Each structure stands twice: as structure tokens, then as C-alpha cells.
């Protein structure tokens, strides 16, 4: 556990507790303190029950030693009550402990998950903190592993401290002092059993500490390897079709094998270290019941104590031992707990760095504002990667209300990055973007997101609760080529796995037709459709969605016919240069598009 003593790790502990302890200081403080008090009451009741059972042991064995049948039965008569009280207090302690764990985990999860999701940090972190693998695992699993054991540790420590003090007092009074002659001198050691218990616990704890101090780092490495392996398997599942089509099975099998090899190597390090710790713990386990018997035996043989006193002393010594070597018994769990704390705090650190980085950018950050004239204004806009490399340099353009603009350029010129900046997802750069005040904006990516739920929920997303009549939804589906799905409108399924790329893009246009946004920003939104389907859907912007301002990224033939202007991004070393020109419309293409729209509607 030497890792816990270094400055960076002490800082991790402080950072973690600064967030975690808000459960007792924030809005949830009444619930937190109420549950804490209940837990402490049952801890005290459990210790009191243990003291009662210890006293019962003395009475019972004294009665046996005296062969007093009446006293034996009288003592046994108390046993059901002691067992019932013990069972009830332990059960109540377990329930109250689990409630405290659950509520604390709920609070911490809400804080960190909310922080991660808010302001698109979950999106931006992939550019600024690539080393933070599987943040969802840290939130779902490491938060649990950092909270649940901590409650048990706190209860264990409090119980251990009170138990040690209580039973040490019993040892003091029952075992008395040790008397022996050494070199003609009469030596008296007061409360020798309590002193022996403390010395034994110190020796056992130091042995466990030095045997297991490298375990924290090895468990942390193991957890990281497990998370990376899980992320690799998730990536494989999410890209299953692409991998299968290009016969990438062999490469993926090799990659998965290499990733799991790292998991195995990390586990072997943990196993080796736990073997050393097990040697210490098993040695302690063998000595644990013997030491108090050896220490009290001389007094029993001399007649100074009764058999009942011996049993009481042994039980009290064991209780003090169990309390004082709490650290030894929980060393492995402490190491695992700290590894999870470190991973949770690493995520917090990445989120803090993301926020600080955004704040420190100050005037160099892309400024977002509102325009008063209904137009979209891009003024002196320079867009950079998070590492500072400029993608688009000093771009200025005004997109008028209702105008249809096509953005083109070679790969890597920054087309999609410009869309992200318009969406407010990309803060790195300088300049200003203004969008019309009070206008609704819809973003249509190349692969639209399909949420869990009914097909109606998918079509209305992200306004699933919007009261839209069935006839409006079905009409929109027919216009966008999804008429055959009308009978499944209220079916729930994994639509993201069922629908093809083209169907997903039809879903996106159906959403536009239902929601009728004022501004539509599209990124390769028709790339999975055939040309006739593309023409039919883009024809919406000449009819039902003619009022909308459209900004579209694309490179397919025929797109120009549905736009008023083309903006070209010319790739340069110092950042892409923006140029703009007006487009004319082909009457024949417009006629075909409208005919196709009429056919779909029919």
C-alpha cells in the first residue's frame, strides 16, 4: 500500500472525497445523515449483543465446570433471546448498510454521469482525453466499487475500534496481570492479555503491509486491462457487419488475443502478489486461536481462573485480535477499492481538464451568438484540432434565411468539423458563429441515432413526447419511403440493428418532415441512398420544407441541383480556404424530383 502514501495518490483520495462527500453536504444531506445514524445505532447494538454472548460463554462454561445442571439450563434459557437479538441486529445492519451504499452510489453516479453528459463532454473527451478508455465502465462499475466497499470499511473500522476497546476492558478485568520471577525479581505485567493482543495485531498488520504494498498498482493495471478488453469487444460487436464483409476475422482474432494477453499478464501480477499476502494471512489464521490459549493456560493450571473465565478470555482475545487486525483481513479489498477510486478520479481529472482547457482558451475559443436578421453569420472563423493544428482558416460567410447551401471539399478539408462547430460541439479555434434567434435547428448526421423504444419513438426523437397524430406520422413515412413500416409504428425493437443505412437516413428525413425545423444542417445525409431516393428526399426542400435554411455537406453527383449556393473548402497547409459561388437549377431535375415526390405520396 505504499502507493497510497505518495503525493499524487493522496491527491487522488482528496479529489475523490471532495466529490463523494457532497452526499452529506448537498441536497441529499438529510437522507445521508439519517441513514448514517441508523447504521451507527445498529453497529452499537451488534457490539452490545457480542458482549452479551461473551458473558454468556463464561456463565455457561462455569456451570459446566461445576456440573450444576440447574445453572446450565438457566443459562441455556437465555440463548434463544441472545440469538434472536443478534440475528435481528445483524439483519437490520445489513439492510441499513445496503441502503446507505445504494443511495450514496446513486448520488455520486448522478454527479459524475451528469458532469460527463452535460455540454457534450462525452463527445469532446474523445478528442482531448483519448487515454480515458471506457468512461462508461468507470461510471457504471468503478463508482460502485469505490462506494460500496467504503461503507463496509467505515462500518468495519468503527466496529473494530469500539470492539477492541470493549473487549480489551474485559481482558483487563478477567485475565488480570501476569506474575513470574526472572533473576530473583518478581515481575508483574498488568493486563498482559490486552498488551499481547495489541502487539500481535501490530506484528500481523506490518507483515501484511510489507507483503502487499505493490498490490494497488497491479490491481489498477488489471482493471485498466479489463476495461480495454471490454472496449475492444464492444468495438468488434458495433462494427460486426463491416468486419465480416471484408473478412477481417483473422485480424480481429489476433487483436482480441493480444488484448486478452494483456489482461492475463495483469492478472498474473495480481495473483503473484496475492500469493505472498495469502502466506501471511494463512500463517496468522493458524496462530490466531492458539496464542490466547497458550497465554491463559498457566493461570488455569494454577487455579487462578475458571474454565468459564478461560473461554471468556479466549473469546475476548479473539475479538480484540479480529478488531486490531482489521487492516490485515481487508488488505486485498482495500487495494481493489483504491484502484477503483483512482480510476474514478482519473475520469474526474479528465473532465476538469476539459473544462479548464475550454475556460483558458478565452478569446481563442469559437464564440457562439444569435443573429437578429434570420441569417447565419460566420465571421473570421478559424477551426483547429484540439492539438492546435488549423483545419479551416479565417472563413467568413453569410447564409440567408431559406437559402440552401452545399459544402464540398476534398477529404480532410474540414467539412464535418465545420458542421460540428455550427452545432456548438467544437470550441477549438477562433472567430464567431451566429444563428438566428428563436429558430429551431435540426442536425442530420450520416448515420442517424436510433433510440431504444417503439418505432414511433424513433421517428419523433428527440421529442418523443410530442403529441403528433398518427395520420401525420404515417403520411410523413409514406413521403419518405417508409410506408411499409406503418404497421410497426408501436412495435419496440432494436431498430439500430434492424434498419439498414438507407432506412436510417429515411428515418432522419421523416423526422424533418414531422418536426419542420427552421434550419437543417446535414452531413452526408443521403450517402446510403440510391440517386432516385436521394432526389425524392431532397425534393422536400422544394416543397414541404421550402422554408428551411439548409446547410449540407456532400459530394455525390446531383446534389448541386437542390442547392442555391456551393461553398468549397480548398485544403491548404495553413488551413482550408473557403470560397463561395451561386448555383443555377436544372428545370428538368426539378421536374423529375417533384414527380418522384408525387409518386411516393401516392
Amino acid at each position: 500500500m505504499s502507493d497510497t502514501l505518495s503525493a499524487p495518490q493522496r491527491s487522488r483520495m482528496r479529489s475523490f472525497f471532495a466529490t463523494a462527500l457532497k452526499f452529506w453536504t448537498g441536497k441529499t444531506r438529510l437522507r445521508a445523515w439519517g441513514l448514517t445514524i441508523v447504521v451507527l445505532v445498529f453497529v452499537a447494538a451488534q457490539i452490545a449483543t457480542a458482549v452479551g454472548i461473551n458473558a454468556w460463554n463464561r456463565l455457561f462454561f462455569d456451570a459446566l465446570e461445576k456440573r450444576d445442571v440447574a445453572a446450565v439450563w438457566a443459562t441455556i434459557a437465555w440463548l434463544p433471546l441472545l440469538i434472536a437479538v443478534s440475528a435481528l441486529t445483524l439483519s437490520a445492519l445489513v439492510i441499513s448498510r445496503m441502503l446507505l451504499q445504494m443511495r450514496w452510489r446513486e448520488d455520486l453516479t448522478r454527479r459524475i454521469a451528469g458532469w460527463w453528459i452535460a455540454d457534450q463532454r462525452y463527445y469532446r473527451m474523445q478528442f482531448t482525453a483519448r487515454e480515458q478508455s471506457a468512461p462508461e465502465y468507470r461510471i457504471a462499475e468503478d463508482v460502485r466499487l469505490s462506494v460500496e466497499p467504503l461503507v463496509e470499511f467505515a462500518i468495519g473500522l468503527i466496529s473494530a475500534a469500539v470492539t477492541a476497546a470493549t473487549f480489551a476492558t474485559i481482558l483487563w478485568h478477567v485475565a488480570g496481570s501476569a506474575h513470574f520471577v526472572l533473576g530473583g525479581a518478581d515481575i508483574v505485567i498488568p493486563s498482559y492479555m490486552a498488551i499481547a493482543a495489541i502487539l500481535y495485531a501490530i506484528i500481523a498488520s506490518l507483515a501484511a503491509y510489507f507483503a502487499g504494498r505493490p498490490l494497488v498498482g497491479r490491481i489498477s493495471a488489471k482493471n485498466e486491462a479489463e476495461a480495454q478488453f471490454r472496449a475492444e469487444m464492444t468495438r468488434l460487436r458495433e462494427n460486426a457487419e463491416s468486419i465480416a464483409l471484408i473478412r477481417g476475422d483473422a485480424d480481429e482474432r489476433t487483436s482480441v488475443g493480444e488484448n486478452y494477453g494483456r489482461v492475463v499478464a495483469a492478472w498474473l501480477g495480481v495473483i503473484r502478489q496475492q500469493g505472498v499476502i495469502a502466506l501471511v494471512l494463512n500463517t496468522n489464521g493458524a496462530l490466531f486461536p492458539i496464542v490466547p490459549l497458550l497465554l491463559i493456560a498457566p493461570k488455569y493450571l494454577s487455579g487462578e481462573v475458571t474454565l468459564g473465565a478461560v473461554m471468556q478470555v479466549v473469546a475476548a482475545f479473539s475479538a480484540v485480535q479480529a478488531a486490531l487486525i482489521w487492516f490485515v483481513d481487508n488488505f486485498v479489498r482495500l487495494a481493489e477499492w483504491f484502484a477503483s477510486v483512482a480510476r474514478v478520479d482519473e475520469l474526474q481529472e479528465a473532465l476538469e481538464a476539459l473544462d479548464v482547457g475550454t475556460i483558458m482558451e478565452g478569446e481563442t475559443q469559437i464564440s457562439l451568438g444569435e443573429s437578429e436578421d434570420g441569417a447565419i453569420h460566420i465571421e473570421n472563423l478559424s477551426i483547429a484540432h484540439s492539438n492546435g493544428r488549423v483545419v479551416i482558416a479565417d472563413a467568413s460567410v453569410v447564409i440567408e434565411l431559406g437559402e440552401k447551401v452545399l459544402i464540398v471539399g476534398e477529404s480532410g478539408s474540414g467539412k464535418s468539423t465545420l458542421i460540428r462547430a455550427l452545432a456548438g460541439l467544437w470550441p477549438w479555434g477562433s472567430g464567431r458563429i451566429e444563428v438566428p434567434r428563436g429558430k429551431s435547428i435540426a442536425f442530420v448526421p450520416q448515420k442517424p441515432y436510433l433510440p431504444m423504444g417503439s418505432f414511433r419513438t424513433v421517428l419523433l426523437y428527440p421529442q418523443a413526447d410530442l403529441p403528433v397524430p398518427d395520420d401525420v406520422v404515417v403520411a410523413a413515412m409514406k413521403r419518405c419511403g417508409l410506408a411499409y413500416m406503418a404497421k410497426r409504428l408501436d412495435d419496440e425493437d432494436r431498430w439500430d440493428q434492424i434498419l439498414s443505412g438507407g432506412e436510417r437516413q429515411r428515418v432522419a428525413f421523416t423526422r424533418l418532415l414531422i418536426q419542420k425545423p427552421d434550419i437543417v444542417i446535414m452531413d452526408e445525409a443521403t450517402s446510403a441512398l440510391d440517386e432516385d431516393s436521394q432526389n425524392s428526399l431532397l425534393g422536400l426542400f422544394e416543397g414541404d420544407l421550402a422554408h428551411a435554411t439548409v446547410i449540407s455537406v456532400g459530394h455525390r453527383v446531383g446534389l448541386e441541383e437542390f442547392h442555391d449556393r456551393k461553398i468549397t473548402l480548398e485544403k491548404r497547409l495553413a488551413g482550408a480556404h473557403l470560397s463561395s459561388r451561386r448555383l443555377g437549377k436544372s428545370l428538368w431535375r426539378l421536374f423529375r424530383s417533384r414527380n418522384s415526390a408525387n409518386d411516393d405520396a401516392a
Side-chain angles (χ1 to χ4, degrees):
M1 292 282 287
S2 61
D3 288 348
T4 61
L5 300 178
S6 62
Q9 289 168 341
R10 286 201 304 270
S11 175
R12 290 232 179 274
M13 295 281 281
R14 286 197 299 271
S15 299
F16 170 78
F17 280 115
T19 301
L21 293 181
K22 289 178 181 177
F23 180 53
W24 278 270
T25 59
K27 295 179 180 179
T28 57
R29 60 183 179 274
L30 292 178
R31 170 185 286 173
W33 283 110
L35 287 171
T36 303
I37 291 170
V38 170
V39 168
L40 292 177
V41 166
F42 287 119
V43 167
Q46 180 194 9
I47 294 172
T49 304
V51 171
I53 292 174
N54 181 265
W56 182 90
N57 268 287
R58 178 170 184 170
L59 294 173
F60 180 73
F61 282 101
D62 278 344
L64 284 180
E65 186 180 30
K66 296 173 182 177
R67 293 177 173 80
D68 187 341
V69 176
V72 168
W73 284 110
T75 307
I76 291 174
W78 284 97
L79 190 57
L81 178 61
L82 286 172
I83 292 174
V85 172
S86 177
L88 288 172
T89 54
L90 284 172
S91 298
L93 178 58
V94 168
I95 293 171
S96 58
R97 169 181 60 79
M98 291 180 70
L99 281 172
L100 179 59
Q101 288 171 320
M102 184 267 289
R103 292 302 185 186
W104 191 8
R105 178 191 175 189
E106 177 188 23
D107 180 72
L108 187 56
T109 299
R110 287 183 183 276
R111 288 180 188 279
I112 297 180
W115 188 7
W116 178 56
I117 295 172
D119 299 324
Q120 294 89 37
R121 292 182 183 89
Y122 60 91
Y123 171 80
R124 292 163 60 191
M125 266 186 64
Q126 63 184 312
F127 303 104
T128 62
R130 297 182 186 274
E131 72 283 356
Q132 292 297 316
S133 60
E136 68 281 0
Y137 176 82
R138 297 179 188 235
I139 294 172
E141 190 66 13
D142 284 311
V143 166
R144 180 182 68 81
L145 293 175
S146 65
V147 167
E148 289 183 357
L150 186 54
V151 173
E152 295 174 18
F153 294 155
I155 293 173
L157 273 174
I158 294 170
S159 180
V162 177
T163 299
T166 302
F167 285 96
T169 303
I170 292 174
L171 287 177
W172 186 292
H173 289 291
V174 177
S177 304
H179 299 265
F180 59 93
V181 177
L182 182 63
D186 188 19
I187 306 296
V188 178
I189 302 177
S191 190
Y192 77 104
M193 289 293 287
I195 294 172
I198 293 170
L199 289 176
Y200 182 89
I202 290 173
I203 293 170
S205 297
L206 288 175
Y209 171 80
F210 287 111
R213 58 182 177 176
L215 190 61
V216 171
R218 292 179 181 175
I219 288 179
S220 183
K222 180 263 293 181
N223 288 349
E224 182 66 25
E226 292 274 18
Q228 289 180 357
F229 179 66
R230 190 178 290 104
E232 173 77 5
M233 299 296 283
T234 301
R235 184 195 61 79
L236 175 62
R237 176 177 56 79
E238 290 176 347
N239 296 276
E241 182 177 358
S242 300
I243 295 169
L245 287 172
I246 62 174
R247 300 295 189 270
D249 309 51
D251 286 342
E252 292 302 322
R253 185 164 53 248
T254 301
S255 177
V256 168
E258 289 175 354
N259 264 302
Y260 192 68
R262 286 189 281 272
V263 174
V264 171
W267 265 107
L268 288 174
V270 172
I271 290 169
R272 283 193 295 271
Q273 202 59 43
Q274 286 197 337
V276 176
I277 297 173
L279 180 63
V280 174
L281 296 181
N282 290 333
T283 302
N284 174 65
L287 291 173
F288 193 83
I290 298 173
V291 172
L293 286 172
L294 294 177
L295 291 174
I296 197 65
K299 284 208 162 193
Y300 177 72
L301 294 173
S302 66
E304 292 183 55
V305 295
T306 64
L307 178 61
V310 169
M311 300 309 295
Q312 186 179 22
V313 165
V314 170
F317 187 93
S318 297
V320 173
Q321 272 297 290
L324 294 179
I325 63 170
W326 177 89
F327 174 78
V328 176
D329 291 338
N330 289 276
F331 187 87
V332 173
R333 294 191 66 211
L334 280 167
E336 292 175 341
W337 166 75
F338 184 78
S340 293
V341 165
R343 283 175 56 78
V344 171
D345 190 59
E346 284 171 3
L347 177 58
Q348 290 190 113
E349 186 178 33
L351 292 170
E352 289 170 359
L354 181 62
D355 293 346
V356 170
T358 302
I359 293 171
M360 291 182 67
E361 284 166 358
E363 295 181 357
T364 65
Q365 184 178 352
I366 295 173
S367 174
L368 301 175
E370 295 181 334
S371 66
E372 302 291 343
D373 58 0
I376 297 173
H377 295 262
I378 298 175
E379 301 173 357
N380 302 317
L381 180 66
S382 291
I383 301 177
H385 283 312
S386 56
N387 60 11
R389 185 176 72 82
V390 177
V391 182
I392 298 175
D394 198 25
S396 294
V397 69
V398 177
I399 300 171
E400 300 293 343
L401 179 66
E403 192 175 11
K404 314 298 189 281
V405 176
L406 175 65
I407 301 176
V408 298
E410 62 180 300
S411 177
S413 59
K415 303 185 297 297
S416 295
T417 309
L418 177 59
I419 294 298
R420 294 177 185 131
L422 288 169
L425 299 177
W426 198 271
W428 301 287
S430 60
R432 184 171 178 82
I433 298 174
E434 292 183 353
V435 296
R437 181 193 302 274
K439 299 294 184 181
S440 58
I441 303 177
F443 294 90
V444 185
Q446 184 176 7
K447 189 176 181 180
Y449 171 67
L450 306 182
M452 298 285 287
S454 67
F455 195 64
R456 183 193 303 274
T457 300
V458 169
L459 294 175
L460 297 181
Y461 184 84
Q463 299 174 340
D465 296 330
L466 198 66
V468 181
D470 284 1
D471 58 337
V472 173
V473 176
V474 172
M477 293 172 66
K478 288 181 178 179
R479 174 63 185 86
C480 296
L482 291 173
Y484 59 92
M485 292 294 294
K487 60 186 178 182
R488 301 197 63 186
L489 196 56
D490 293 310
D491 290 358
E492 294 192 10
D493 216 326
R494 288 298 306 269
W495 302 110
D496 57 333
Q497 297 179 3
I498 293 173
L499 300 184
S500 67
E503 287 173 320
R504 293 173 77 127
Q505 292 185 345
R506 290 180 185 275
V507 165
F509 277 89
T510 305
R511 289 172 179 169
L512 296 179
L513 202 51
I514 293 172
Q515 297 169 6
K516 290 185 168 50
D518 300 305
I519 300 170
V520 179
I521 301 177
M522 303 188 294
D523 186 5
E524 302 282 2
T526 59
S527 60
L529 297 168
D530 60 84
E531 187 174 354
D532 287 340
S533 297
Q534 171 184 274
N535 295 342
S536 173
L537 292 177
L538 291 180
L540 289 170
F541 298 117
E542 301 288 345
D544 296 272
L545 299 174
H547 71 284
T549 303
V550 177
I551 301 175
S552 176
V553 169
H555 62 277
R556 294 183 65 181
V557 176
L559 288 177
E560 291 185 6
E561 297 295 335
F562 298 92
H563 296 82
D564 305 317
R565 185 155 45 123
K566 181 167 76 172
I567 293 176
T568 303
L569 291 174
E570 182 185 347
K571 195 173 181 180
R572 297 180 181 177
L573 289 176
H577 173 71
L578 184 151
S579 62
S580 174
R581 71 178 179 88
R582 305 294 302 181
L583 295 170
K585 285 191 174 68
S586 163
L587 294 176
W588 171 246
R589 180 59 62 85
L590 184 57
F591 175 75
R592 258 182 48 180
S593 175
R594 287 178 176 173
N595 269 355
S596 176
N598 291 334
D599 290 343
D600 286 345

